[in-house]
Amino acid sequence: MKKRIIVGLSGASGVIYGIRTLMHLRNLPDTEIHLVMTKAAAINIQLETEHQLDAIQDLADVVHDPANLAAPISSGSFRTAGMIVVPCSVKTLSGIVHSYADNLLCRAADVCLKEKRKLALVVRETPLHKGHLEMMVKAADLGALILPPLPAFYHKPRTIDDLIDQSIGKCFDYFELEHTLFRRWGEREP
């Protein structure tokens, strides 16, 4: 059986993190990708990238309408390995933390929390005020992994994609997905 991973794209800047997550998941065998993106994410794709919305949706096996709260990923009986929200806006973080599931992205994340499934939140905001930090602490207390896309440099990145892929690789590590998205600490350069 394929490992089902839900990818949620919210309206934060940095939608390229979500696009590259989908690209790399697409290359993994035995992975079924369920995509849900907010309207704000679709707008950011147009504002921040040269990618076409249809091409991004084609990277997923199943694309869910964010308004469809009856979609399979809205139920705990639909088994998944969990969800990556990338990027995760503060609005989406707030909806998840407060169980305010007014869209499918927040509902699917809520299902992951209630079913004790993995949930990685790639929170993309800076600077952070105390309210943002408190919501991240609450999300962690509920069982989510908080994984802001903070670049590391020990792998000697040469491109922006190298920086992006290192953060994605950390998400893949959390989901125990095999990858070579960055050189690990202590590994020799190729």
Side-chain angles (χ1 to χ4, degrees), residues 45 49-57:
I45 288 167
T49 77
E50 301 298 319
H51 295 278
Q52 298 301 311
L53 188 59
D54 290 345
I56 292 165
Q57 291 175 328

Side-chain angles (χ1 to χ4, degrees), residues 21-178:
T21 297
L22 291 166
M23 289 174 169
H24 292 305
L25 280 174
R26 172 52 66 221
N27 292 327
L28 296 179
D30 300 323
T31 303
E32 182 179 295
I33 307 163
H34 287 256
L35 172 64
V36 58
M37 79 171 79
T38 65
K39 290 179 183 177
I43 291 168
N44 277 358
I45 288 167
Q46 293 174 343
L47 294 174
E48 296 182 356
T49 77
E50 301 298 319
H51 295 278
Q52 298 301 311
L53 188 59
D54 290 345
I56 292 165
Q57 291 175 328
D58 286 345
L59 295 170
D61 296 295
V62 182
V63 178
H64 298 279
D65 180 338
N68 182 9
L69 292 174
I73 61 173
S74 71
S75 174
S77 67
F78 186 78
R79 303 212 41 203
T80 70
M83 181 175 188
I84 304 169
V85 182
V86 54
C88 182
S89 68
V90 169
K91 177 183 176 184
T92 297
L93 172 66
S94 181
I96 293 167
V97 164
H98 296 102
S99 301
Y100 187 69
D102 69 336
N103 65 47
L104 183 59
L105 193 158
C106 289
R107 173 59 187 167
D110 193 54
V111 166
C112 288
L113 291 174
K114 79 181 188 71
E115 298 293 333
K116 306 289 188 221
R117 296 179 186 149
K118 293 182 177 189
L119 175 62
L121 304 177
V122 183
V123 180
R124 229 306 302 142
E125 185 64 74
T126 192
L128 300 164
H129 63 63
K130 186 177 179 184
H132 300 152
L133 296 169
E134 287 173 346
M135 285 192 294
M136 284 190 251
V137 168
K138 180 150 188 194
D141 288 345
L142 292 170
L145 173 73
I146 309 302
L147 203 155
L150 300 173
F153 295 93
Y154 59 83
H155 64 293
K156 297 183 182 174
R158 292 180 175 87
T159 67
I160 291 174
D161 286 346
D162 291 343
L163 292 171
I164 292 167
D165 289 351
Q166 193 269 342
S167 291
I168 295 166
K170 299 298 278 183
C171 284
F172 283 19
D173 285 351
Y174 176 60
F175 281 88
E176 300 177 7
L177 298 169
E178 290 297 321

Side-chain angles (χ1 to χ4, degrees), residues 154 182-187:
Y154 59 83
F182 63 92
R183 183 177 54 85
R184 297 177 184 283
W185 183 257
E187 289 181 350

